[in-house]
Amino acid sequence: MTTTSVSVVRTTPRVITRTLLTAGLVAGPLYTAVWLGQAATREGFDITRHPASLLANGGPGWIQTVNFVVAGILSIAAAVGLRRSIAGRGSRWAPRLLGAYGVGLLLAAIFPADPASGFPAGTPADYAEISARGMGHFVAGTIGFTGLIAGCLVMAAHYRSTGQAGWARYSTVTGVLFFGAFAGLMAGAGKPVTITAFGVAIVLGWSWIAAICAHHRQTN
């Protein structure tokens, strides 16, 4: 075997890990760009009244469905990359929980949210019927967001155990804020303040995923 062949064999696992982590680095910005692009162009959509999930309704709803699928696949890839790049405390559960977030996104594509609050255009403003698919979407969100929140806290424990206090604080704050926004959304009955806060939390969650993937990609 030549020296070049040995080098390729030795570096391939590292390249694979970095590629998987790159998926997590890309997932959030891509998801957010597609979501906000639709929010700005879909008739009747109000980002302070309508969560992103409602975009899966109507003629162009396939765009958000594809957005969920792509983001889910990229998140699961990132989870695999994270499992390959960390060791010690939380090294098993943190990737599994991030993977659960990805599974939740895939399930959200399979079970779209019901029309609500006047969206898509033509839906009554007070429409709030929950169908079987709508209940499936609620379950998908619970799986995904619980995975993300718990993943933040498990990664915080991992970072504390490895002496990375800044990353531990960042992970803890992200998990706590996301939990607060998710709880507020569940209790807020569609109020603009809770929907807006949850939209901000989504961006914070994706930013955290991108940040830890970039961090471990750099150190891998």
Coordinates of all heavy atoms in Angstrom, one line a residue, residues 40-128:
A40 N -42.7 36.1 3.7 CA -42.8 37.4 3.0 C -43.6 37.4 1.7 O -44.0 38.5 1.3 CB -41.4 37.9 2.8
T41 N -43.9 36.3 1.2 CA -44.5 36.2 -0.1 C -45.8 35.5 -0.2 O -46.6 35.7 -1.1 CB -43.6 35.5 -1.2 OG1 -43.2 34.2 -0.7 CG2 -42.3 36.3 -1.3
R42 N -46.2 34.7 0.8 CA -47.4 34.0 0.8 C -48.6 34.9 1.2 O -48.5 35.6 2.2 CB -47.4 32.8 1.7 CG -46.5 31.6 1.3 CD -47.1 30.8 0.2 NE -48.4 30.3 0.5 CZ -48.6 29.1 1.1 NH1 -47.6 28.4 1.5 NH2 -49.8 28.7 1.3
E43 N -49.6 35.0 0.4 CA -50.8 35.8 0.6 C -51.5 35.4 2.0 O -51.7 34.3 2.2 CB -51.8 35.7 -0.5 CG -53.1 36.5 -0.3 CD -54.1 36.2 -1.3 OE1 -53.9 35.4 -2.3 OE2 -55.2 36.8 -1.3
G44 N -51.7 36.4 2.8 CA -52.4 36.2 4.1 C -51.5 35.8 5.2 O -52.0 35.6 6.3
F45 N -50.2 35.5 5.0 CA -49.4 35.0 6.1 C -48.8 36.1 6.9 O -48.3 37.1 6.3 CB -48.3 34.1 5.5 CG -47.5 33.4 6.6 CD1 -47.9 32.1 7.0 CD2 -46.4 33.9 7.2 CE1 -47.3 31.4 8.0 CE2 -45.7 33.2 8.2 CZ -46.1 32.0 8.6
D46 N -49.0 36.0 8.2 CA -48.5 37.1 9.1 C -47.6 36.4 10.1 O -48.1 35.5 10.9 CB -49.7 37.7 9.8 CG -49.3 38.8 10.8 OD1 -48.1 38.9 11.1 OD2 -50.2 39.6 11.2
I47 N -46.4 36.7 10.1 CA -45.4 36.0 11.0 C -45.6 36.2 12.5 O -45.2 35.4 13.3 CB -43.9 36.4 10.6 CG1 -42.9 35.4 11.0 CG2 -43.6 37.8 11.2 CD1 -41.6 35.6 10.5
T48 N -46.4 37.2 12.8 CA -46.8 37.4 14.2 C -48.0 36.7 14.6 O -48.4 36.6 15.8 CB -47.0 38.9 14.5 OG1 -48.1 39.4 13.8 CG2 -45.8 39.7 14.1
R49 N -48.7 36.1 13.7 CA -50.0 35.3 13.9 C -49.9 33.9 13.5 O -50.7 33.1 14.0 CB -51.2 36.0 13.2 CG -51.4 37.4 13.7 CD -52.6 38.1 12.9 NE -53.8 37.2 13.0 CZ -54.4 36.8 11.9 NH1 -53.9 37.0 10.7 NH2 -55.5 36.0 12.0
H50 N -49.0 33.6 12.6 CA -49.0 32.2 12.0 C -47.7 31.6 12.2 O -46.6 32.1 11.7 CB -49.3 32.3 10.5 CG -50.6 33.0 10.2 ND1 -50.8 34.0 9.3 CD2 -51.9 32.8 10.7 CE1 -52.0 34.4 9.2 NE2 -52.7 33.7 10.1
P51 N -47.6 30.4 12.9 CA -46.3 29.7 13.0 C -45.9 29.1 11.6 O -46.8 29.0 10.7 CB -46.6 28.6 14.0 CG -48.1 28.4 13.9 CD -48.7 29.8 13.6
A52 N -44.7 28.8 11.5 CA -44.1 28.3 10.2 C -44.9 27.1 9.7 O -45.0 26.9 8.4 CB -42.7 28.0 10.3
S53 N -45.3 26.3 10.5 CA -46.0 25.0 10.1 C -47.2 25.2 9.2 O -47.5 24.4 8.4 CB -46.4 24.2 11.4 OG -45.3 23.8 12.1
L54 N -47.9 26.4 9.4 CA -49.1 26.6 8.6 C -48.7 26.8 7.1 O -49.6 26.7 6.3 CB -49.8 27.9 9.1 CG -50.5 27.8 10.5 CD1 -51.3 29.1 10.8 CD2 -51.4 26.6 10.5
L55 N -47.5 27.1 6.8 CA -47.1 27.3 5.4 C -47.2 26.0 4.6 O -47.2 26.1 3.4 CB -45.6 27.8 5.4 CG -45.4 29.2 5.8 CD1 -43.9 29.5 6.1 CD2 -46.0 30.2 4.8
A56 N -47.4 24.9 5.3 CA -47.5 23.6 4.5 C -48.9 23.5 3.9 O -49.2 22.5 3.2 CB -47.2 22.4 5.4
N57 N -49.8 24.4 4.2 CA -51.1 24.4 3.6 C -51.2 25.3 2.4 O -50.4 26.1 2.1 CB -52.1 25.0 4.7 CG -52.3 24.1 5.8 OD1 -53.0 23.0 5.7 ND2 -51.8 24.5 7.0
G58 N -52.2 25.0 1.5 CA -52.4 25.8 0.3 C -51.6 25.2 -0.8 O -50.8 24.3 -0.7
G59 N -51.8 25.9 -2.0 CA -51.1 25.4 -3.2 C -49.6 25.3 -3.1 O -49.0 24.3 -3.5
P60 N -48.9 26.4 -2.6 CA -47.4 26.3 -2.5 C -47.0 25.6 -1.2 O -45.8 25.6 -0.9 CB -47.0 27.8 -2.4 CG -48.2 28.6 -2.8 CD -49.4 27.7 -2.4
G61 N -47.9 24.9 -0.5 CA -47.5 24.3 0.7 C -46.5 23.2 0.6 O -45.8 22.9 1.6
W62 N -46.3 22.7 -0.6 CA -45.2 21.6 -0.8 C -43.8 22.2 -0.5 O -42.9 21.4 -0.1 CB -45.3 21.1 -2.2 CG -45.0 22.1 -3.3 CD1 -45.8 22.9 -3.9 CD2 -43.7 22.5 -3.8 NE1 -45.2 23.8 -4.8 CE2 -43.8 23.5 -4.7 CE3 -42.4 22.0 -3.5 CZ2 -42.8 24.0 -5.4 CZ3 -41.3 22.5 -4.2 CH2 -41.5 23.6 -5.2
I63 N -43.7 23.5 -0.6 CA -42.4 24.1 -0.3 C -42.0 23.9 1.1 O -40.9 23.5 1.4 CB -42.3 25.6 -0.7 CG1 -42.6 25.8 -2.2 CG2 -41.0 26.2 -0.3 CD1 -42.8 27.2 -2.6
Q64 N -42.9 24.2 2.0 CA -42.6 24.0 3.4 C -42.5 22.5 3.8 O -41.7 22.2 4.6 CB -43.7 24.7 4.3 CG -43.4 24.6 5.8 CD -42.2 25.3 6.2 OE1 -41.6 26.1 5.5 NE2 -41.6 24.9 7.4
T65 N -43.3 21.7 3.1 CA -43.1 20.3 3.4 C -41.7 19.8 3.0 O -41.1 19.0 3.8 CB -44.2 19.5 2.5 OG1 -45.5 19.9 3.0 CG2 -44.0 18.0 2.7
V66 N -41.3 20.2 1.8 CA -39.9 19.8 1.4 C -38.9 20.4 2.4 O -37.9 19.8 2.8 CB -39.6 20.3 0.0 CG1 -38.1 20.1 -0.4 CG2 -40.5 19.6 -1.0
N67 N -39.2 21.7 2.9 CA -38.3 22.3 3.9 C -38.2 21.5 5.1 O -37.1 21.3 5.7 CB -38.8 23.7 4.2 CG -37.8 24.6 4.8 OD1 -36.6 24.4 4.7 ND2 -38.3 25.6 5.6
F68 N -39.3 20.9 5.6 CA -39.2 20.0 6.8 C -38.4 18.8 6.5 O -37.6 18.4 7.3 CB -40.7 19.6 7.2 CG -41.4 20.6 8.0 CD1 -42.8 20.9 7.6 CD2 -40.9 21.3 9.0 CE1 -43.5 21.8 8.4 CE2 -41.6 22.2 9.8 CZ -42.9 22.5 9.4
V69 N -38.6 18.2 5.3 CA -37.9 17.0 5.0 C -36.4 17.2 4.9 O -35.6 16.5 5.5 CB -38.4 16.4 3.7 CG1 -37.5 15.2 3.2 CG2 -39.9 15.9 3.8
V70 N -36.0 18.2 4.2 CA -34.6 18.5 4.1 C -33.9 18.8 5.4 O -32.9 18.3 5.7 CB -34.4 19.7 3.1 CG1 -32.9 20.1 3.0 CG2 -34.8 19.3 1.7
A71 N -34.6 19.7 6.2 CA -34.1 20.0 7.5 C -34.0 18.8 8.4 O -33.0 18.7 9.2 CB -35.0 21.1 8.1
G72 N -35.0 17.9 8.3 CA -35.0 16.7 9.1 C -33.8 15.8 8.8 O -33.1 15.3 9.7
I73 N -33.6 15.6 7.5 CA -32.5 14.8 7.0 C -31.1 15.4 7.4 O -30.2 14.6 7.9 CB -32.5 14.6 5.5 CG1 -33.8 13.7 5.1 CG2 -31.3 13.9 5.0 CD1 -34.0 13.6 3.6
L74 N -31.0 16.7 7.3 CA -29.7 17.3 7.6 C -29.5 17.2 9.1 O -28.4 17.1 9.6 CB -29.7 18.8 7.2 CG -29.7 19.0 5.6 CD1 -29.8 20.5 5.3 CD2 -28.4 18.4 5.0
S75 N -30.6 17.4 9.9 CA -30.4 17.3 11.4 C -30.0 15.9 11.8 O -29.2 15.7 12.7 CB -31.7 17.7 12.1 OG -32.1 19.0 11.8
I76 N -30.6 14.9 11.2 CA -30.2 13.5 11.5 C -28.7 13.2 11.2 O -28.0 12.6 11.9 CB -31.1 12.5 10.9 CG1 -32.6 12.6 11.5 CG2 -30.6 11.1 11.0 CD1 -33.6 11.9 10.7
A77 N -28.3 13.8 10.0 CA -26.9 13.6 9.6 C -26.0 14.3 10.6 O -25.0 13.8 11.0 CB -26.7 14.2 8.2
A78 N -26.4 15.5 11.1 CA -25.6 16.2 12.1 C -25.5 15.4 13.4 O -24.5 15.4 14.0 CB -26.3 17.6 12.4
A79 N -26.6 14.7 13.7 CA -26.6 13.9 14.9 C -25.6 12.8 14.8 O -24.9 12.5 15.8 CB -28.0 13.3 15.2
V80 N -25.5 12.2 13.7 CA -24.5 11.1 13.4 C -23.1 11.7 13.5 O -22.2 11.1 14.1 CB -24.8 10.5 12.1 CG1 -23.7 9.4 11.8 CG2 -26.1 9.8 12.0
G81 N -22.9 12.9 12.9 CA -21.6 13.5 13.0 C -21.2 13.9 14.4 O -20.1 13.7 14.8
L82 N -22.2 14.3 15.2 CA -21.9 14.7 16.6 C -21.5 13.4 17.4 O -20.6 13.5 18.2 CB -23.2 15.3 17.2 CG -23.1 15.9 18.6 CD1 -22.1 17.1 18.6 CD2 -24.4 16.4 19.1
R83 N -22.2 12.3 17.1 CA -21.9 11.1 17.8 C -20.5 10.6 17.5 O -19.8 10.1 18.4 CB -22.9 9.9 17.4 CG -22.6 8.6 18.0 CD -22.8 8.7 19.5 NE -22.5 7.4 20.2 CZ -21.3 7.2 20.7 NH1 -20.3 8.1 20.6 NH2 -21.1 6.0 21.3
R84 N -20.0 10.9 16.3 CA -18.7 10.5 15.9 C -17.6 11.5 16.4 O -16.4 11.1 16.4 CB -18.6 10.5 14.4 CG -19.4 9.4 13.7 CD -19.6 9.6 12.2 NE -18.3 9.6 11.5 CZ -17.8 8.5 10.8 NH1 -18.5 7.4 10.8 NH2 -16.7 8.6 10.2
S85 N -18.0 12.6 16.9 CA -17.0 13.7 17.2 C -16.9 14.0 18.7 O -16.0 14.7 19.1 CB -17.4 15.0 16.5 OG -18.6 15.5 16.9
I86 N -17.8 13.4 19.5 CA -17.6 13.7 21.0 C -17.5 12.4 21.7 O -17.9 11.3 21.3 CB -18.8 14.5 21.5 CG1 -20.1 13.7 21.4 CG2 -19.0 15.8 20.8 CD1 -21.3 14.4 22.1
A87 N -16.9 12.5 22.9 CA -16.8 11.3 23.8 C -17.0 11.8 25.2 O -17.0 13.0 25.5 CB -15.3 10.8 23.7
G88 N -17.3 10.8 26.1 CA -17.5 11.2 27.5 C -19.0 11.4 27.8 O -19.9 10.9 27.1
R89 N -19.2 12.3 28.8 CA -20.5 12.5 29.3 C -21.5 13.0 28.2 O -21.1 14.0 27.5 CB -20.5 13.5 30.4 CG -21.8 13.7 31.1 CD -21.7 14.6 32.4 NE -22.9 14.7 33.1 CZ -23.1 15.4 34.2 NH1 -22.0 16.0 34.7 NH2 -24.2 15.4 34.8
G90 N -22.6 12.4 28.0 CA -23.6 12.9 27.0 C -23.3 12.5 25.6 O -24.1 12.8 24.7
S91 N -22.3 11.7 25.4 CA -21.9 11.4 24.0 C -22.9 10.4 23.3 O -22.9 10.4 22.1 CB -20.5 10.8 24.0 OG -20.4 9.6 24.7
R92 N -23.7 9.7 24.1 CA -24.7 8.9 23.5 C -26.0 9.6 23.4 O -26.7 9.5 22.3 CB -24.9 7.6 24.4 CG -23.7 6.6 24.3 CD -24.1 5.3 25.0 NE -23.0 4.3 24.8 CZ -23.1 3.1 25.3 NH1 -24.2 2.7 25.9 NH2 -22.1 2.2 25.1
W93 N -26.4 10.3 24.5 CA -27.8 10.8 24.5 C -27.9 12.1 23.7 O -29.0 12.4 23.1 CB -28.3 11.0 25.9 CG -28.9 9.7 26.4 CD1 -28.3 8.8 27.3 CD2 -30.1 9.1 26.0 NE1 -29.1 7.7 27.5 CE2 -30.2 7.9 26.7 CE3 -31.1 9.5 25.1 CZ2 -31.4 7.1 26.5 CZ3 -32.2 8.7 25.0 CH2 -32.3 7.5 25.7
A94 N -26.9 12.9 23.7 CA -27.0 14.2 22.9 C -27.3 14.0 21.4 O -28.2 14.6 20.9 CB -25.7 15.0 23.1
P95 N -26.5 13.1 20.8 CA -26.8 12.8 19.4 C -28.2 12.2 19.2 O -28.9 12.5 18.2 CB -25.7 11.8 19.0 CG -24.6 12.1 19.9 CD -25.3 12.4 21.2
R96 N -28.6 11.3 20.1 CA -29.9 10.7 19.9 C -31.0 11.8 20.0 O -32.0 11.7 19.3 CB -30.1 9.7 21.0 CG -29.3 8.4 20.9 CD -29.5 7.5 22.1 NE -28.6 6.3 21.9 CZ -28.5 5.4 22.9 NH1 -29.2 5.5 24.0 NH2 -27.7 4.4 22.7
L97 N -30.8 12.7 20.9 CA -31.9 13.8 21.1 C -31.9 14.7 19.9 O -32.9 15.2 19.5 CB -31.6 14.5 22.4 CG -31.8 13.7 23.7 CD1 -31.2 14.4 24.9 CD2 -33.3 13.5 23.9
L98 N -30.7 15.0 19.4 CA -30.7 15.8 18.1 C -31.3 15.1 17.0 O -32.0 15.6 16.2 CB -29.2 16.2 17.8 CG -29.0 17.1 16.5 CD1 -29.9 18.3 16.6 CD2 -27.6 17.4 16.3
G99 N -31.1 13.8 17.0 CA -31.7 12.9 16.0 C -33.2 12.9 16.1 O -34.0 12.9 15.1
A100 N -33.7 13.0 17.4 CA -35.2 13.0 17.6 C -35.7 14.3 17.1 O -36.9 14.3 16.5 CB -35.4 12.9 19.1
Y101 N -35.0 15.4 17.1 CA -35.4 16.7 16.5 C -35.6 16.5 15.0 O -36.6 16.9 14.5 CB -34.4 17.8 16.9 CG -34.7 19.1 16.3 CD1 -36.0 19.7 16.5 CD2 -33.8 19.8 15.4 CE1 -36.3 21.0 16.0 CE2 -34.1 21.0 14.9 CZ -35.3 21.6 15.2 OH -35.6 22.8 14.6
G102 N -34.6 15.8 14.4 CA -34.7 15.6 13.0 C -35.9 14.7 12.6 O -36.6 15.0 11.7
V103 N -36.2 13.7 13.5 CA -37.3 12.8 13.2 C -38.6 13.6 13.4 O -39.6 13.5 12.6 CB -37.3 11.6 14.2 CG1 -38.7 10.9 14.2 CG2 -36.2 10.7 13.9
G104 N -38.7 14.5 14.3 CA -39.9 15.4 14.5 C -40.1 16.2 13.3 O -41.3 16.4 12.9
L105 N -39.1 16.7 12.6 CA -39.2 17.5 11.4 C -39.8 16.6 10.3 O -40.7 17.1 9.5 CB -37.9 18.1 11.0 CG -37.4 19.2 11.9 CD1 -35.9 19.5 11.7 CD2 -38.2 20.5 11.7
L106 N -39.3 15.4 10.2 CA -39.8 14.5 9.1 C -41.3 14.2 9.4 O -42.1 14.1 8.4 CB -39.0 13.2 9.1 CG -37.5 13.4 8.7 CD1 -36.8 12.0 8.7 CD2 -37.4 13.9 7.2
L107 N -41.6 14.0 10.6 CA -43.0 13.7 11.0 C -43.9 14.9 10.7 O -45.1 14.7 10.3 CB -43.2 13.2 12.4 CG -42.6 11.9 12.8 CD1 -42.6 11.7 14.3 CD2 -43.3 10.8 12.1
A108 N -43.4 16.1 10.9 CA -44.1 17.3 10.6 C -44.5 17.4 9.1 O -45.5 18.0 8.8 CB -43.3 18.5 11.1
A109 N -43.6 16.9 8.3 CA -43.9 16.8 6.9 C -45.0 15.8 6.5 O -45.8 16.1 5.6 CB -42.6 16.5 6.1
I110 N -45.0 14.7 7.2 CA -46.0 13.7 7.0 C -47.3 14.1 7.5 O -48.4 13.8 6.9 CB -45.5 12.4 7.7 CG1 -44.2 11.9 7.0 CG2 -46.6 11.3 7.5 CD1 -43.6 10.7 7.8
F111 N -47.3 14.8 8.6 CA -48.6 15.3 9.2 C -48.6 16.8 9.3 O -48.2 17.4 10.3 CB -48.7 14.7 10.7 CG -48.7 13.2 10.8 CD1 -47.6 12.6 11.1 CD2 -49.9 12.5 10.5 CE1 -47.5 11.2 11.2 CE2 -49.8 11.1 10.5 CZ -48.7 10.4 10.9
P112 N -49.1 17.4 8.2 CA -49.1 18.9 8.2 C -50.1 19.5 9.2 O -51.0 18.9 9.6 CB -49.6 19.2 6.8 CG -49.5 18.0 6.0 CD -49.6 16.8 7.0
A113 N -49.8 20.7 9.6 CA -50.6 21.4 10.6 C -51.9 21.8 9.9 O -52.0 22.0 8.7 CB -49.9 22.7 11.1
D114 N -53.0 21.9 10.7 CA -54.3 22.3 10.1 C -54.3 23.8 9.8 O -53.6 24.6 10.5 CB -55.4 22.0 11.2 CG -55.7 20.5 11.4 OD1 -55.8 19.8 10.4 OD2 -55.7 20.1 12.5
P115 N -55.1 24.2 8.8 CA -55.3 25.6 8.6 C -55.8 26.3 9.9 O -56.5 25.6 10.7 CB -56.4 25.7 7.5 CG -56.2 24.3 6.8 CD -55.9 23.3 7.9
A116 N -55.4 27.5 10.1 CA -55.9 28.2 11.3 C -55.7 29.7 11.2 O -54.9 30.2 10.3 CB -55.0 27.7 12.5
S117 N -56.4 30.5 11.9 CA -56.3 31.9 12.0 C -56.2 32.6 10.7 O -55.4 33.5 10.5 CB -55.0 32.2 12.9 OG -55.1 31.6 14.1
G118 N -57.1 32.2 9.8 CA -57.2 32.9 8.5 C -56.1 32.5 7.5 O -56.1 33.1 6.4
F119 N -55.4 31.5 7.7 CA -54.4 31.0 6.8 C -54.5 29.5 6.5 O -54.7 28.8 7.5 CB -52.9 31.3 7.2 CG -51.9 31.1 6.2 CD1 -51.6 32.0 5.2 CD2 -51.3 29.8 6.1 CE1 -50.7 31.7 4.2 CE2 -50.4 29.5 5.1 CZ -50.1 30.5 4.1
P120 N -54.5 29.1 5.2 CA -54.2 29.9 4.0 C -55.4 30.8 3.7 O -56.5 30.7 4.4 CB -54.0 28.9 2.9 CG -54.7 27.7 3.4 CD -54.6 27.7 4.9
A121 N -55.2 31.7 2.8 CA -56.3 32.7 2.4 C -57.6 32.0 2.2 O -57.6 31.0 1.5 CB -55.8 33.5 1.2
G122 N -58.6 32.5 2.8 CA -60.0 31.9 2.7 C -60.4 31.2 3.9 O -61.5 30.8 4.1
T123 N -59.4 30.8 4.8 CA -59.7 30.2 6.0 C -60.3 31.2 7.0 O -59.8 32.3 7.2 CB -58.5 29.6 6.6 OG1 -57.8 28.7 5.7 CG2 -58.8 28.8 7.9
P124 N -61.4 30.8 7.7 CA -62.0 31.7 8.6 C -61.0 32.1 9.7 O -60.2 31.3 10.2 CB -63.2 30.9 9.2 CG -63.6 29.9 8.1 CD -62.2 29.6 7.5
A125 N -61.1 33.4 10.2 CA -60.2 33.9 11.1 C -60.3 33.1 12.5 O -59.3 33.0 13.2 CB -60.4 35.3 11.4
D126 N -61.5 32.6 12.8 CA -61.6 31.9 14.0 C -61.6 30.3 13.9 O -61.9 29.6 14.8 CB -63.0 32.3 14.7 CG -64.2 31.9 13.8 OD1 -64.0 31.6 12.6 OD2 -65.3 32.0 14.3
Y127 N -61.1 29.9 12.7 CA -61.1 28.4 12.4 C -60.0 27.8 13.3 O -58.8 28.2 13.3 CB -60.7 28.2 11.0 CG -60.8 26.7 10.6 CD1 -62.0 26.1 10.2 CD2 -59.7 25.9 10.5 CE1 -62.1 24.8 9.9 CE2 -59.7 24.6 10.2 CZ -61.0 24.0 9.8 OH -61.0 22.7 9.5
A128 N -60.4 26.8 14.1 CA -59.4 26.1 15.0 C -59.7 24.6 15.1 O -59.4 24.0 16.1 CB -59.5 26.8 16.4

